[in-house]
Amino acid sequence: MRSTNKKFISALACASAMTALAIVDPMGVTKTHQVAQAATDTVPAKSTGVDVSSWQGTKLDQQAKSGAQFAVVKVSEGTNYQNPNAQGQIQSAEQNNMMTMGYHYTHFGSNSNQAVQEGNYAVNSAQQAGLPQGSYLATDWEQDVNNNTNGSVAANTNAITSFMDTVHDGGYNPMLYSSEWLLKNKVDTNKISEKYPNALWVAKYKTNGREDNPDYNYFPSMDNVAIWQYTQNWRGQNVDGNVNVVPLSNKTTADNNNTSTNAANTNNSNANNGQSSSQAPANPIINNSNATAKPNNNNSTQPAQPTETKPAEKPSTTTNINSDWTKQNGVFVTGGAINLRTGASTDSKVIIQLPANSEVKYDAYRTIGQYTWLRQPRANNEYGYLVGRDNGQAWGTFKEGSATTAKPAETKPANKPAQPTNKPSTTTNVNSDWTKQNGVFVTGGAINLRTGASTNSKVIAMLPTNTEIKYDAYRTEGQYTWLRQPRANGQYGYLVGRDNGQAWGTFKEGSASVSKPAEKPSTTTNVNSDWTKQNGVFVTGGAINLRTGAGTNSKVIAMLPTNTEIKYDAYHTEGQYTWLRQPRANGQYGYLVGRNNGQAWGTFKEGSAKATNAVANKPVQQTTPKQVNTNNNASWTKQNGTFITGGAINLRTGASTTSPIIETLPINTVIKYDAYYRSGNYVWLRQPRANGQYGYLVGRLNNQAWGTYR
């Protein structure tokens, strides 16, 4: 989430706009007499969502088109800040049929009295922004210069509960957002969950880079989780990505302050007093309410396999080898990540997640409902079980001689659902709309390989950046140009090669001559008169997006890690950014930010930066502390040591919370430092980096260590 002056882990979004008569009571809380219905006020489990603040614009069209089904909008912070974009963001979410929620960035720390004041301010701000009562409204409680989390667990918990009580009394459904580490070490979540079940919104990242879909191996092991924030760069859009573990509904709150409430709200509020009736699991693979339903997220990196909780008891051996199993020795090659379980049920315990292209020897198969299960013999007469087919659709490849009796025609029971109508037939794969062409395509980013030429088709695998794909035909349908990859047993895989004529990678020489669309961006745009020619080398100082155009809305080709060397041939300043242009294959270009308000986002090698210093364009109002003087001033005390982070900590370009973030260091990161410096409540550590540069991170706050000193 984000505070008013820096980036933080993101927060929850809230429901649609309302037209209501508002009055202010003596306590300063706006009350409303009517509650409007949101365009969408429920989302099923495992829906994708984003959280936004004033750092994002008022239009959420791009996020909606990319698959976001809910949005959490920041409404306020402390007791004197309201998000100026909140109303527009809520309205945009509603127009895009997204469920909306809200969050408040807290300053109260462990102070219960201040928590009540901020709760009233948050409720008032949410109503002014047009967030209907009954919506979720979260407290964003995290370590910050304005929010000290180092109080006692009891005091922290009491303050958070006071805020949530105030939100509930104001007619909203309260939630608590924070990092996994803070929730486990600084808050009594059991006490909060006793009063507000399924109200935790937890941040835990597998990586600080781009994440398109959640990897449930990294899910925080906690009970009563409603939403998991798994990335700060969802689908390359630099917005936080979330997934809800349980179904969410803006109807499940008791609105005691409303004189008029719709029937659904009234019934639910009487039933559960404002709390969700379902118990959130400690692991998202536990959601029994969705155990047999295929997820709707077709962008998943693994087959659409239900993920659920482990059962109380392990299935008996006699059940595993009962007469319903058909004996057959064969080999199955997984087409994507598939769970190997202790029993033939999606409720059975996961032994391991098999990656794509794993070879599994099986000795029997059995069809139960929509799934055909395969049985793998293991040591000590034990078995492992995995899904081989879903509604007759293979989740991989049966090697020659393996699948003769496991084919759907022989195993399909009378009540088995028919094969999906969207399964591409062989005739569709080679129909006249496809243009024959043998070529090689190199992916410019992570791209899904699917069973059909549609974004609704099952994902076989996610191809990483720089994967070479041999294709034999292409076809343009709508905005996408699809490439067809021949696979084993006469099967095909399909991937997007272009989007609106923009290549999602590189076509090797001789491959793309026919598939180049007429609307390819002209070369003259890339070399227009606003660009200044200059050959140079730029070394990234942190993770920076390489894009298809010189705009933050342009598609991300790849995220360049720290210390990547980029050769550029021109630069261009537009607004606060100075963009660098990188020549690529086939006359294409990549674009990245080299400076922000004149502040370099890396190092220009000797002779490269003469013209890109942007003296003429550099804003005179630059407020970022100049790093050179800070690094060398007399206040720093020399000391060589090692620090291990106790939680996620920002590494910055200067010893100030307003300095740009180089990267967020995850828990247990080992940092070698050469000096320390005390500024106010903070003790900063200085980390030597390449080219005589430094990184800075907080080591202590109010003498409380943020990790371990070796």
Side-chain angles (χ1 to χ4, degrees), residues 448-460:
N448 287 325
L449 184 70
R450 298 181 180 271
T451 57
S454 167
T455 55
N456 292 324
S457 297
K458 188 183 294 294
V459 176
I460 298 171

Side-chain angles (χ1 to χ4, degrees), residues 569-631:
D569 69 347
Y571 70 92
H572 167 63
T573 299
E574 186 169 349
Q576 71 192 81
Y577 296 117
T578 297
W579 292 86
L580 308 179
R581 189 177 69 187
Q582 177 207 38
R584 294 171 64 82
N586 299 323
Q588 301 292 312
Y589 291 95
Y591 301 84
L592 69 154
V593 174
R595 298 182 185 273
N596 180 12
N597 285 329
Q599 175 74 35
W601 277 13
T603 305
F604 290 90
K605 282 200 167 180
E606 195 64 38
S608 300
K610 187 183 299 183
T612 57
N613 285 334
V615 175
N617 299 310
K618 183 175 177 180
V620 295
Q621 68 271 27
Q622 180 186 355
T623 58
T624 305
K626 188 176 180 182
Q627 187 172 313
V628 176
N629 292 340
T630 305
N631 292 346

Side-chain angles (χ1 to χ4, degrees), residues 497-576:
R498 297 182 185 273
D499 180 5
N500 286 325
Q502 179 69 44
W504 278 12
T506 305
F507 290 89
K508 283 202 169 180
E509 196 63 40
S511 302
S513 55
V514 187
S515 59
K516 286 183 182 177
E519 63 271 24
K520 177 183 172 183
S522 66
T523 309
T524 53
T525 303
N526 292 343
V527 293
N528 64 42
S529 58
D530 293 335
W531 286 85
T532 302
K533 286 284 190 179
Q534 181 190 71
N535 293 316
V537 178
F538 176 75
V539 184
T540 60
I544 301 177
N545 286 326
L546 184 70
R547 299 181 179 271
T548 57
T552 54
N553 292 325
S554 298
K555 187 181 295 294
V556 176
I557 299 171
M559 177 171 281
L560 307 172
T562 306
N563 293 326
T564 302
E565 285 202 1
I566 296 293
K567 292 182 179 179
Y568 64 94
D569 69 347
Y571 70 92
H572 167 63
T573 299
E574 186 169 349
Q576 71 192 81

Side-chain angles (χ1 to χ4, degrees), residues 106 108-119 139 141 147-149 151-167 174 176 183 186-196:
T106 60
F108 58 74
S110 58
N111 187 324
S112 294
N113 291 331
Q114 186 178 343
V116 172
Q117 296 175 32
E118 290 193 39
T139 171
W141 191 84
N147 191 68
N148 184 3
T149 62
S152 68
V153 170
N156 291 341
T157 304
N158 289 338
I160 291 169
T161 305
S162 296
F163 180 94
M164 296 176 76
D165 289 344
T166 305
V167 166
L176 166 61
L183 289 173
K186 298 294 185 178
V187 181
D188 185 351
T189 55
N190 289 331
K191 182 176 180 181
I192 288 174
S193 297
E194 286 175 6
K195 193 167 189 179
Y196 298 106

Side-chain angles (χ1 to χ4, degrees), residues 103-321:
Y103 77 90
H104 169 88
Y105 196 94
T106 60
H107 289 182
F108 58 74
S110 58
N111 187 324
S112 294
N113 291 331
Q114 186 178 343
V116 172
Q117 296 175 32
E118 290 193 39
N120 285 325
Y121 186 77
V123 168
N124 198 32
S125 300
Q127 292 175 342
Q128 290 182 36
L131 186 66
Q133 291 188 327
S135 303
Y136 293 94
L137 181 58
T139 171
D140 178 3
W141 191 84
E142 51 188 287
Q143 181 60 50
D144 179 39
V145 63
N146 296 309
N147 191 68
N148 184 3
T149 62
N150 291 311
S152 68
V153 170
N156 291 341
T157 304
N158 289 338
I160 291 169
T161 305
S162 296
F163 180 94
M164 296 176 76
D165 289 344
T166 305
V167 166
H168 179 267
D169 293 341
Y172 290 97
N173 204 352
M175 273 195 176
L176 166 61
Y177 167 88
S178 194
S179 68
E180 179 194 38
W181 189 87
L182 283 175
L183 289 173
K184 286 185 173 181
N185 292 276
K186 298 294 185 178
V187 181
D188 185 351
T189 55
N190 289 331
K191 182 176 180 181
I192 288 174
S193 297
E194 286 175 6
K195 193 167 189 179
Y196 298 106
N198 300 343
L200 300 182
W201 181 13
V202 186
K204 183 180 181 181
Y205 301 161
K206 173 184 175 181
T207 173
N208 290 317
R210 171 175 173 167
E211 284 278 331
D212 290 0
N213 301 291
D215 181 347
Y216 287 110
N217 291 320
Y218 288 81
F219 182 82
S221 180
M222 298 179 66
D223 291 320
N224 286 286
V225 175
I227 299 176
W228 171 31
Q229 184 184 95
Y230 60 89
T231 180
Q232 60 185 350
N233 185 14
W234 179 68
R235 301 194 174 171
Q237 297 177 19
N238 290 317
V239 66
D240 298 318
N242 305 270
V243 61
N244 58 310
V245 181
V246 296
L248 298 178
S249 174
N250 283 334
K251 296 179 181 178
T252 58
T253 185
D255 189 358
N256 299 326
N257 293 318
N258 286 344
T259 58
S260 173
T261 311
N262 62 60
N265 283 357
T266 303
N267 293 336
N268 286 328
S269 64
N270 291 337
N272 49 37
N273 192 27
Q275 310 310 326
S276 173
S277 59
S278 60
Q279 187 69 8
N283 190 307
I285 302 186
I286 301 182
N287 190 6
N288 286 323
S289 62
N290 290 298
T292 58
K294 289 174 68 176
N296 292 327
N297 184 2
N298 292 309
N299 290 321
S300 174
T301 59
Q302 66 183 59
Q305 179 175 354
T307 50
E308 348 53 32
T309 183
K310 84 178 178 185
E313 57 277 336
K314 179 180 176 182
S316 66
T317 308
T318 53
T319 303
N320 292 345
I321 54 175

